[in-house]
Amino acid sequence: MTTTAELLTDHVGRIDELVREVVDGLSEADLARRPEGADGPGNPIGWLVWHLLRVQDDHVAEAFGSEQVWTGAGWARRFGLDLDVADTGFGHTSSQVDAVRTTADLLAGYGAAVHERTVGHLAGLADDDLSRVLPPTWGENVTLGERLVSVLGDDLQHAGQAAYLRGLLGV
């Protein structure tokens, strides 16, 4: 029988695999290239991947009461972005999106660190833990299970966007 922790770990592993595939071999210019759409430029691959990793790192750390790898393991310093250290990309303006310039190696390294930390938290998860109500950061009466499903859904959506964009841009 598969446990909830195993199911969630498998899901997180699929995100990690897709992130690594999407950024593999891309240049900094490829990662920063924005597609043109009817409403203006869309978000580039590098920003999409950075954002999904920041959301996972931020939300999972808060849900489990741990420090983010972004700050605790020095990833914010390595990226050297001109953004607040707490920034996850939510609500970014076009100029803020453009400010997220990075390399495939940094994204892959940060992704691996976030994945390892997330899997570590999930390893000790019992089914009863999913009902635990979190602090009201994300609204009243949000449970750990709801938060984890939300993060996984958001991450898969952005990873899929980045993969589609890679194909669309022919990189």
Side-chain angles (χ1 to χ4, degrees):
M1 184 170 147
T2 301
T3 67
T4 302
E6 291 168 338
L7 181 65
L8 291 169
T9 299
D10 179 73
H11 200 86
V12 168
R14 291 167 192 255
I15 294 166
D16 177 60
E17 183 178 325
L18 183 54
V19 162
R20 285 185 282 115
E21 289 173 2
V22 165
V23 302
D24 185 46
L26 295 183
S27 68
E28 187 175 329
D30 294 333
L31 291 167
R33 191 167 156 202
R34 294 175 78 154
E36 287 296 326
D39 296 330
N43 294 324
I45 294 169
W47 184 90
L48 287 166
V49 171
W50 171 83
H51 168 64
L52 77 86
L53 293 171
R54 288 293 299 122
V55 166
Q56 185 180 146
D57 189 12
D58 175 76
H59 290 25
V60 170
E62 186 166 346
F64 285 92
S66 68
E67 187 172 16
Q68 296 177 36
V69 297
W70 183 248
T71 51
W75 287 100
R77 180 184 43 75
R78 287 179 219 161
F79 274 74
L81 301 176
D82 190 23
L83 298 170
D84 185 282
V85 72
D87 199 331
T88 64
F90 182 76
H92 266 191
T93 65
S94 186
S95 62
Q96 287 172 310
V97 169
D98 286 337
V100 179
R101 296 287 300 217
T102 188
T103 66
D105 286 344
L106 274 173
L107 287 170
Y110 179 50
V114 170
H115 175 72
E116 182 179 335
R117 175 72 54 89
T118 300
V119 167
H121 286 307
L122 296 176
L125 193 64
D127 287 351
D128 290 346
D129 296 330
L130 297 174
S131 300
R132 178 172 54 89
V133 175
L134 300 175
T137 305
W138 302 296
E140 294 295 322
N141 299 315
V142 174
T143 66
L144 176 60
E146 290 168 331
R147 176 57 24 208
L148 290 173
V149 168
S150 175
V151 168
L152 294 174
D154 188 66
D155 278 5
L156 268 181
Q157 180 179 7
H158 289 312
Q161 290 168 338
Y164 176 75
L165 182 54
R166 182 176 175 140
L168 186 68
L169 298 175
V171 293

